[in-house]
Amino acid sequence: MKRVAIFISGGGSNMVSLVDSMTGDHPARPVLVLANSADAGGLVKAAERNIATAVVDHRPFNGDREAFQAALQAELVKAAPDILCLAGFMRVLTASFVQKWQGRMLNIHPSLLPKYRGLHTHARALEAGDALHGCTVHEVTPELDDGPILGQATVPVRPGDTPDTLAARVLVQEHRLYPAVLHRFATGKREMIRLQG
Ligand code: GRF
């Protein structure tokens, strides 16, 4: 049975879809939900599901990423996960941390990578006039939003879409894609899967 830690920054809807999928004969179980802010709404949802939680607030570190990451690592050593899932975690992790977890750390990104690394992916897809958009689960490497792709889900861009309506349509697919990829990853499967929304 694989042990899974999940990092969040906000509401944690992806975390909830991962946690709720890890039941029955699933090859993994959640052991920690960590947030970089005590205000992250996902912490309450994790506690309601009896998952251990932790907060490592980045602000007191005043931009000292290595010190912030050392505090993250200390929580991970305590929880001893096999897999680390970034789920709406909005802090950029540096190479020194990523290399410790390389091959065992996943991230979900709301675009069809390699298109639109970084922020504001839905607005950029609309500006570009894309017909298709979506989300990607990838292994995390030191390069932001760049690692090997494990899964993608596509959605149509509809006339009149705004960044918010597009984000809502993509989020539904995120909640399907991430659990599907995690289940495979926990049994060593790394071939890319594609879902259509
Ligand atoms: C998701 O769209 C995710 O792809 C992005 O941030 C959003 C977080 O949503 N990185 P939630 O906190 O999982 O609800």
Side-chain angles (χ1 to χ4, degrees), residues 10-14 87-88 90 108 110 171 174:
S13 70
N14 276 292
M90 303 310 279
I108 186 148
L171 198 58
E174 292 182 40

Side-chain angles (χ1 to χ4, degrees), residues 96-116:
S96 63
F97 182 92
V98 172
Q99 275 146 11
K100 284 195 189 80
W101 289 92
Q102 199 148 342
R104 304 181 287 158
M105 183 160 51
L106 308 180
N107 180 45
I108 186 148
H109 183 75
S111 82
L112 296 175
L113 291 171
K115 291 179 102 171
Y116 314 128

Side-chain angles (χ1 to χ4, degrees), residues 29-155:
R29 289 293 183 272
V31 295
L32 175 69
V33 171
L34 180 150
N36 63 299
S37 164
D39 305 331
L43 290 168
V44 175
K45 298 169 189 166
E48 285 165 356
R49 288 163 172 78
N50 299 316
I51 313 295
T53 62
V55 174
V56 179
D57 191 329
H58 60 281
R59 289 164 290 197
F61 294 95
N62 299 319
D64 182 343
R65 286 183 188 277
E66 297 304 324
F68 169 60
Q69 291 173 173
L72 293 175
Q73 185 63 15
E75 290 296 335
L76 289 171
V77 167
K78 281 191 273 180
D82 305 293
I83 299 170
L84 175 50
C85 290
L86 307 183
F89 186 67
M90 303 310 279
R91 305 305 302 171
V92 175
L93 300 165
T94 68
S96 63
F97 182 92
V98 172
Q99 275 146 11
K100 284 195 189 80
W101 289 92
Q102 199 148 342
R104 304 181 287 158
M105 183 160 51
L106 308 180
N107 180 45
I108 186 148
H109 183 75
S111 82
L112 296 175
L113 291 171
K115 291 179 102 171
Y116 314 128
R117 293 187 174 110
L119 299 174
H120 315 303
T121 60
H122 310 301
R124 291 156 69 192
L126 287 171
E127 272 153 34
D130 290 353
L132 277 182
H133 185 43
C135 53
T136 303
V137 175
H138 62 97
E139 284 187 49
V140 177
T141 57
E143 200 63 38
L144 184 68
D145 301 331
D146 183 60
I149 293 175
L150 299 169
Q152 287 191 320
T154 57
V155 300

